[in-house]
Amino acid sequence: MFNFLPKEFNFFDLLEKQVGLAADAAKAFKEVVAKGAVSEENMKILQDIEHDGDDVTHTILEQLDKTFITPIDREDIHALAKELDDIIDMTCTIASRMKIYRVDHVDKYLVEFANIIEESVLGVTRAVKGMRNMKNVKQIYMACVEVNRLENVGDRLRDSALSDLFDNQKDPIEIIKWKEIYQEAETVLDICEDVTNVVESIVVKNA
Amino acid sequence: MFNFLPKEFNFFDLLEKQVGLAADAAKAFKEVVAKGAVSEENMKILQDIEHDGDDVTHTILEQLDKTFITPIDREDIHALAKELDDIIDMTCTIASRMKIYRVDHVDKYLVEFANIIEESVLGVTRAVKGMRNMKNVKQIYMACVEVNRLENVGDRLRDSALSDLFDNQKDPIEIIKWKEIYQEAETVLDICEDVTNVVESIVVKNA
Amino acid sequence: MFNFLPKEFNFFDLLEKQVGLAADAAKAFKEVVAKGAVSEENMKILQDIEHDGDDVTHTILEQLDKTFITPIDREDIHALAKELDDIIDMTCTIASRMKIYRVDHVDKYLVEFANIIEESVLGVTRAVKGMRNMKNVKQIYMACVEVNRLENVGDRLRDSALSDLFDNQKDPIEIIKWKEIYQEAETVLDICEDVTNVVESIVVKNA
C-alpha cells in the first residue's frame, strides 16, 4: 500500500518506533504506580521517552511535508503521528503531576488505570503494526474494537474513582490533585481510541 | 448539491438524525435541571441518546471513507458529524458529573444554561436542515448568527456564575463541582458555534 | 508564492494584522501583570482586541472558502488563522479570570509568564512575516526554534509555579484560582508553538 512512497521514507518503521515509545511510556508509568511514587529516575526515563517521541513525530511530519503523493491520506498520517505522540506526552504529564503534588501512595483506581493503559497501548500497537499488510484487516478491526472497549472501561473507572473521591475525601486540596490525575489517566485511553479511529478510517479507505 | 453521492448514503438523513439526538439530549438535560437532580432514569435516557449518537457518527464516518468523491469537502462532513456528536456527549457529561457530585439542587445559572443550550441546538437544527436546499441561504445564515449570539450570551452567563460562585461560596469542594459544571455548560454552546462555523463554510464554498 | 491568489485577497496583510493583534494582547496582558490587577479599562482594551481578532479570522476563513486554488494548503491557512485567534482569546481569558477571581496582586511566576508570552508572540510575528519571502527561510526557522524553546521554558515555569503553589498555599480556593491561571498562561505558549509548527510545515512544502 505504501509502494509509491520514496524508499528512504518508511512511514511504518517510524510509526512502529513511535508506538514502541508509547508502550515504553505505559510500562514506565506502570512501574511508577507499582512503587506508589515518582522517583527522579522515573522522571528521567519518561522525559527521555517524551523527547524521543518528539523527534520521531517531527521526522514523520517533515518527511510527510516533503512527500508529494502518498497512497494514504496525508492528514491521516499526520493525525496518527500527533496522536501517538499525545499518548506519550499525556502519560508523562500524569507522572509529572504526581511528582509536583508529592503523591506518595496510589490507590486501586490508579493501579487499574495503569493496567488498562498498558493493555490499550498494546491494542494500538497491534492496530498500527497490522497496517503493514492490509490482509490483516480482521486482526486490525479486532484490535480497534478492544481499544474502544478499554476506553469505555476507563470511563466507568474514572466515574467510580471520582464518586469515591467526592464521597470520602474531605481535604479539598487532595480532591484537586486526584481529580486531575484520574481525568488525565482517562484521557490517555481517549487518545488511544482516537488513534484506532484513524487506523479504521485508513483501512476502510484502502479496502 | 449531493446529487453525485451514492443513493444509499444520504448524508442529510444521517446528519438530521444526529441533530435530532442533540435536541433530545438538550431536552433531557432541561428536564434534569427542572427537577434539580439527576435520577437513574435520566441517566439511562441520556446514555441511550449518547449510544445512538455514537452509532450515527460511526455510520457517517464509515460511509464517508467509502465514498470517493463528494461535492462537499470530506473534512467538512467529518467535522460536522464529530461536533454534533460532541454536543450530545458534553450534555451527557454534565448530567453525569451532577450525579457523581450528588448535586441535589440547581441554581438560576444552570436553569438559564439549560434554556440557552436548548435554543442553541434549535439554531443548529435549522442550520443543518437548511443545507438540504442551498436556496435557504438566508435562513441558514440567520440560524448561524443566532447560535453565535447565544454563545456570547453563554460566555457572559458563565462569567456571572463564576463571579457569584467565587464571591459567595466558601466551601472549596462546592467551588470545584460548580466551576466544572458551568464551564462544561458553556462548552456545549462553543461546540454548537463550531457546528455553525462549518455550515457557514460549506455554504460559502457552494454559493 | 501567493501570486496565484486573487489580488483583492491578501492573506499576508490579514495574517500580519492578526499577529499584530496578538502582540497587542500580549502587551496589554503585560501591563495588567505590571499593575498586579485588572482594571475595567484593561478589560475594555483586551475585549476590543479580541473582537477585532474575531473579525480578521472571519474574513480570512470566508475569503479562503471563496478562493478555489491556493498555492498554500488551504488547511494550513485555516489553522494559522484559527491559532493566531486562539492566542488572543486565551490571553484575554487569563485577564478575565483574574478579574472574576478578584486577583489583586501577582507573583514572580506570572510576571515571568507575561515576559515569555510577549517574547513568544514576537517570535511568532517574525515567523509569520517571514513567509512573505521564502528566501527568508533561515530567519523563519530561527524564529520557530525560539518559539519552541520558549514553550519548553514555559513548561518548566508552570511546573515550578505549581510546585510552589501546592507546597506553600494552604487555601484551596487560592489553589483553584492560581492553578488555572498558570495553566492558561502556559497554554498561550503551546498555541504559539502550534502556529510555528504550521509555518514550518508551509515552508517545507514550498521549499
Side-chain angles (χ1 to χ4, degrees):
Chain A
M1 141 196 199
F2 280 118
N3 290 347
F4 301 158
L5 285 175
K7 289 275 181 238
E8 69 272 25
F9 177 24
N10 196 328
F11 282 109
F12 282 125
D13 289 352
L14 288 165
L15 289 176
E16 284 188 6
K17 194 169 173 188
Q18 214 175 13
V19 90
L21 290 167
D24 292 345
K27 192 169 159 253
F29 180 63
K30 206 177 162 182
E31 281 164 21
V32 162
V33 170
K35 285 195 313 176
V38 187
S39 66
E40 286 295 333
E41 201 199 331
N42 296 136
M43 274 319 295
K44 177 79 179 62
I45 290 170
L46 279 161
Q47 280 161 357
D48 286 349
I49 296 170
E50 192 171 11
H51 189 262
D52 291 349
D54 286 346
D55 284 350
V56 179
T57 307
H58 194 261
T59 305
I60 295 176
L61 298 188
E62 197 185 31
Q63 292 294 333
L64 196 61
D65 286 336
K66 283 182 183 163
T67 307
F68 283 101
I69 294 160
T70 61
I72 289 193
D73 280 356
R74 184 189 287 279
E75 57 266 35
D76 286 336
I77 301 277
H78 196 282
L80 272 188
K82 293 285 275 185
E83 283 161 9
L84 287 171
D85 198 38
D86 287 344
I87 293 175
I88 299 168
D89 289 353
M90 187 51 75
T91 307
C92 294
T93 295
I94 308 172
S96 170
R97 287 294 184 281
M98 287 173 67
K99 189 157 178 292
I100 288 169
Y101 296 163
R102 301 193 186 280
V103 167
D104 55 11
H105 72 283
V106 298
D107 58 18
K108 63 179 178 183
Y109 301 110
L110 201 61
V111 170
E112 190 57 22
F113 265 122
N115 289 332
I116 299 175
I117 287 171
E118 193 181 40
E119 275 183 71
S120 181
V121 172
L122 280 177
V124 167
T125 305
R126 288 195 302 273
V128 169
K129 289 197 173 178
M131 286 194 303
R132 275 210 194 256
N133 189 343
M134 284 299 173
K135 286 182 188 159
N136 296 326
V137 83
K138 203 185 156 189
Q139 274 172 273
I140 298 175
Y141 272 123
M142 278 172 61
C144 294
V145 166
E146 172 68 359
V147 171
N148 188 293
R149 186 187 70 79
L150 292 168
E151 195 276 332
N152 287 321
V153 172
D155 271 353
R156 289 194 297 274
L157 182 61
R158 180 209 51 213
D159 286 352
S160 301
L162 289 179
S163 284
D164 194 345
L165 183 67
F166 278 87
D167 282 351
N168 298 309
Q169 177 58 262
K170 298 304 159 205
D171 179 350
I173 298 177
E174 288 300 304
I175 290 180
I176 294 169
K177 292 174 179 178
W178 282 96
K179 179 173 182 292
E180 185 176 9
I181 290 169
Y182 296 141
Q183 288 181 329
E184 286 171 349
E186 199 279 322
T187 299
V188 177
L189 300 170
D190 284 343
I191 308 170
C192 288
E193 193 186 14
D194 289 341
V195 173
T196 55
N197 284 340
V198 178
V199 172
E200 270 192 85
S201 173
I202 292 173
V203 172
V204 171
K205 286 176 197 165
N206 289 276
Chain B
M1 142 193 198
F2 280 118
N3 289 348
F4 300 159
L5 286 175
K7 289 276 182 242
E8 68 273 23
F9 178 24
N10 195 329
F11 282 108
F12 283 127
D13 289 351
L14 288 164
L15 289 175
E16 284 187 6
K17 193 169 173 188
Q18 213 175 11
V19 91
L21 290 167
D24 291 345
K27 192 169 159 254
F29 180 62
K30 207 177 161 182
E31 281 164 20
V32 162
V33 171
K35 284 195 314 178
V38 187
S39 66
E40 287 293 334
E41 201 199 331
N42 296 137
M43 274 319 296
K44 176 80 177 64
I45 289 169
L46 279 162
Q47 280 162 354
D48 286 348
I49 295 170
E50 193 171 10
H51 189 262
D52 290 349
D54 287 345
D55 285 349
V56 178
T57 307
H58 195 261
T59 304
I60 295 176
L61 298 188
E62 196 185 31
Q63 292 295 331
L64 196 61
D65 286 336
K66 283 184 185 163
T67 307
F68 282 101
I69 295 160
T70 62
I72 290 193
D73 281 355
R74 184 189 287 276
E75 57 266 36
D76 287 335
I77 302 277
H78 196 283
L80 271 187
K82 292 284 275 184
E83 284 162 6
L84 287 170
D85 198 39
D86 286 344
I87 294 175
I88 298 168
D89 288 354
M90 187 50 76
T91 307
C92 294
T93 295
I94 308 172
S96 170
R97 286 295 184 280
M98 287 173 67
K99 188 154 178 294
I100 288 169
Y101 296 163
R102 301 194 185 278
V103 167
D104 55 11
H105 72 283
V106 298
D107 58 19
K108 62 180 178 183
Y109 302 109
L110 201 62
V111 170
E112 191 56 21
F113 265 123
N115 289 332
I116 298 175
I117 287 171
E118 192 181 41
E119 276 183 69
S120 182
V121 172
L122 280 176
V124 168
T125 306
R126 286 195 303 275
V128 169
K129 289 197 173 177
M131 285 195 303
R132 275 208 194 257
N133 188 343
M134 284 299 173
K135 287 183 187 157
N136 295 329
V137 83
K138 204 184 154 189
Q139 274 171 272
I140 297 174
Y141 272 122
M142 280 171 61
C144 294
V145 166
E146 172 67 0
V147 170
N148 189 293
R149 186 187 70 78
L150 291 168
E151 195 275 331
N152 286 321
V153 172
D155 271 353
R156 289 195 297 274
L157 182 61
R158 177 209 52 210
D159 286 352
S160 300
L162 288 179
S163 285
D164 195 346
L165 183 68
F166 278 86
D167 281 352
N168 298 309
Q169 177 57 262
K170 299 303 160 204
D171 179 351
I173 298 177
E174 288 299 304
I175 290 181
I176 293 169
K177 293 174 178 177
W178 283 96
K179 180 172 181 290
E180 184 175 9
I181 290 170
Y182 294 142
Q183 289 181 328
E184 287 172 348
E186 202 278 322
T187 299
V188 176
L189 300 170
D190 284 344
I191 308 170
C192 288
E193 194 186 14
D194 289 341
V195 173
T196 55
N197 285 340
V198 179
V199 171
E200 270 192 84
S201 175
I202 292 173
V203 172
V204 170
K205 286 177 197 165
N206 289 276
Chain C
M1 144 193 197
F2 280 118
N3 290 347
F4 300 158
L5 286 175
K7 288 277 182 240
E8 68 272 24
F9 178 25
N10 196 327
F11 282 108
F12 283 125
D13 289 353
L14 287 165
L15 288 175
E16 284 187 6
K17 194 170 173 187
Q18 213 175 13
V19 90
L21 290 168
D24 291 345
K27 193 169 158 254
F29 180 63
K30 207 177 162 182
E31 281 164 20
V32 161
V33 170
K35 284 196 314 178
V38 187
S39 66
E40 287 294 334
E41 201 198 332
N42 295 137
M43 275 318 297
K44 177 80 178 61
I45 289 169
L46 279 161
Q47 280 161 356
D48 286 349
I49 295 170
E50 192 173 10
H51 188 262
D52 290 350
D54 287 346
D55 285 350
V56 178
T57 307
H58 194 262
T59 305
I60 295 176
L61 298 188
E62 197 185 32
Q63 292 294 331
L64 196 61
D65 286 335
K66 283 183 183 162
T67 306
F68 282 101
I69 295 161
T70 63
I72 289 192
D73 280 357
R74 184 190 286 278
E75 57 266 37
D76 287 336
I77 302 277
H78 196 283
L80 272 188
K82 292 286 276 186
E83 284 162 8
L84 287 170
D85 198 40
D86 287 344
I87 294 175
I88 299 168
D89 289 353
M90 187 50 77
T91 308
C92 294
T93 295
I94 308 172
S96 169
R97 286 294 184 281
M98 288 172 68
K99 190 157 178 291
I100 288 169
Y101 296 163
R102 301 193 186 281
V103 167
D104 55 11
H105 72 283
V106 298
D107 57 19
K108 62 181 178 182
Y109 302 110
L110 201 61
V111 170
E112 191 56 22
F113 265 122
N115 289 331
I116 299 174
I117 287 171
E118 193 181 39
E119 275 184 70
S120 182
V121 172
L122 281 176
V124 168
T125 305
R126 287 196 302 276
V128 169
K129 288 196 173 177
M131 285 195 303
R132 274 206 195 262
N133 189 341
M134 284 299 173
K135 286 181 188 159
N136 295 327
V137 82
K138 204 185 154 188
Q139 275 172 270
I140 297 175
Y141 273 122
M142 280 171 62
C144 294
V145 167
E146 172 67 1
V147 170
N148 189 293
R149 187 187 69 80
L150 292 168
E151 195 275 331
N152 287 321
V153 173
D155 271 354
R156 289 193 297 273
L157 182 61
R158 179 210 50 211
D159 286 352
S160 301
L162 289 178
S163 285
D164 195 346
L165 184 68
F166 278 87
D167 281 351
N168 298 308
Q169 178 57 263
K170 300 302 160 206
D171 180 350
I173 298 178
E174 288 300 303
I175 291 181
I176 294 169
K177 292 175 179 176
W178 283 96
K179 180 173 183 288
E180 184 175 11
I181 290 169
Y182 295 141
Q183 289 181 328
E184 285 171 349
E186 201 279 322
T187 299
V188 176
L189 300 170
D190 284 344
I191 308 170
C192 288
E193 194 186 15
D194 290 341
V195 173
T196 54
N197 285 340
V198 178
V199 171
E200 270 192 86
S201 173
I202 291 173
V203 171
V204 171
K205 286 178 197 165
N206 289 274

